[in-house]
Amino acid sequence: MARNIQSLERAAAMLRLLAGGERRLGLSDIASSLGLAKGTAHGILRTLQQEGFVEQDDASGRYQLGAELLRLGTTYLDVHELRARALVWTDDLARSSGESVHLGVLHQQGVLIVHHVFRPDDSRQVLEIGAMQPLHSTALGKVLSAYDPVAHSEALEADRKAYTDRTVCEPEGFEHILDITRARGYAADVEETWEGIASIAAPIHDRRRMPVGAVGITGAVERLGREGELRPELVAAVRDCARAVSRDLGAGRF
């Protein structure tokens, strides 16, 4: 009978520990929980970190699961209710808007892209499933921060980096943007994260009327805007998509 590889068993146990316990764990906590020497635990964590399966918080030094696990988890994604319910509607949104569509959820003080529909123009594009976006500057992030109290707290705690000269980083200005987002039911990012790029996003709610994600389109400013304003038909299309996914999740009419 083949023998199990001890280092792999320990790495698997470490990932299960990080998945099932507190959001972040320190080296000592991980080592003691698994009965490992600190040096051994640190070596495994360093390897997992290099592969993207584990991330280390710069401020606290604690460890948490990494987004690379989601890139490998395509089977899980296929059965993930949010993504499954959104597949048809996001395809329709890409066709009607002519832009790429992203579905995002809160993850580690950012937005994790769990579904991406390419812009339907046969141009060369990169699949962004598993990518992370900031909460404070992207349309997806603003929507989550506006409707999800946990995302709101994490956005305020995070380092709000200025990606362009349009990025709003101050707490007061950011809160004002969230008020506007809640009032109109969608968020916008016009060159706040990437020069020349704009995006529009709206919230998705579940059967308990809780925010579970956000859906949005991203494209060149000149395509999403007209005379300095976002095209209203694109805003309406994004909001209709979010409402449709929410209804399929049991949220009823919004």
Side-chain angles (χ1 to χ4, degrees):
M1 184 175 180
R3 296 178 60 186
N4 292 340
I5 300 175
Q6 188 179 55
S7 59
L8 292 179
E9 288 183 329
R10 289 172 171 176
M14 201 168 285
L15 292 174
R16 292 192 187 96
L17 178 66
L18 290 170
E22 299 178 16
R23 298 194 63 183
R24 297 188 181 99
L25 292 173
L27 174 61
S28 297
D29 298 324
I30 295 170
S32 61
S33 295
L34 299 179
L36 300 174
K38 281 188 179 181
T40 301
H42 184 257
I44 296 172
L45 284 167
R46 187 172 62 248
T47 301
L48 291 172
Q49 186 178 1
Q50 290 171 349
E51 296 299 324
F53 299 141
V54 165
E55 297 172 359
Q56 186 177 27
D57 181 66
D58 292 335
S60 66
R62 289 174 172 263
Y63 294 89
Q64 58 196 11
L65 292 180
E68 182 65 22
L69 287 172
L70 209 103
R71 291 191 180 94
L72 296 180
T74 54
T75 303
Y76 168 73
L77 284 178
D78 286 339
V79 299
H80 188 285
E81 187 177 10
L82 173 60
R83 181 176 183 271
R85 297 288 186 178
L87 288 177
V88 172
W89 300 111
T90 51
D91 283 347
D92 286 348
L93 178 58
R95 281 193 295 268
S96 65
S97 67
E99 303 295 344
S100 62
V101 178
H102 295 88
L103 183 70
V105 298
L106 176 65
H107 181 70
Q108 297 174 2
Q109 294 189 323
V111 183
L112 178 65
I113 304 302
V114 297
H115 185 51
H116 175 200
V117 184
F118 282 165
R119 185 173 62 252
D121 63 0
D122 296 325
S123 62
R124 184 175 181 180
Q125 300 171 62
V126 177
L127 187 65
E128 297 181 21
I129 293 176
M132 295 290 293
Q133 293 186 3
L135 285 170
H136 70 288
S137 63
T138 62
L140 293 172
K142 293 176 193 176
V143 163
L144 292 174
S145 299
Y147 289 90
D148 185 341
V150 176
H152 179 239
S153 298
E154 294 199 351
L156 291 177
E157 293 171 2
D159 178 21
R160 293 181 298 280
K161 176 183 176 181
Y163 294 98
T164 73
D165 58 8
R166 293 174 178 261
T167 309
V168 177
C169 301
E170 299 75 15
E172 296 80 7
F174 181 61
E175 291 286 8
H176 179 62
I177 288 174
L178 299 188
D179 288 340
I180 294 174
T181 298
R182 285 185 286 265
R184 64 189 185 184
Y186 72 92
D189 164 11
V190 181
E191 297 188 283
E192 293 177 50
T193 310
W194 304 281
E195 296 284 354
I197 301 297
S199 57
I200 305 166
I204 296 172
H205 297 80
D206 66 7
R207 61 184 60 85
R208 299 166 299 163
R209 297 295 182 96
M210 297 295 291
V212 292
V215 64
I217 59 173
T218 301
V221 171
E222 58 268 23
R223 293 199 304 267
L224 267 64
R226 182 186 298 128
E227 298 179 355
E229 298 291 335
L230 293 171
R231 290 166 54 192
E233 67 272 24
L234 293 180
V235 173
V238 171
R239 296 192 67 194
D240 286 347
C241 177
R243 291 192 191 102
V245 179
S246 297
R247 285 196 300 270
D248 278 4
L249 288 171
R253 296 185 63 84
F254 270 79

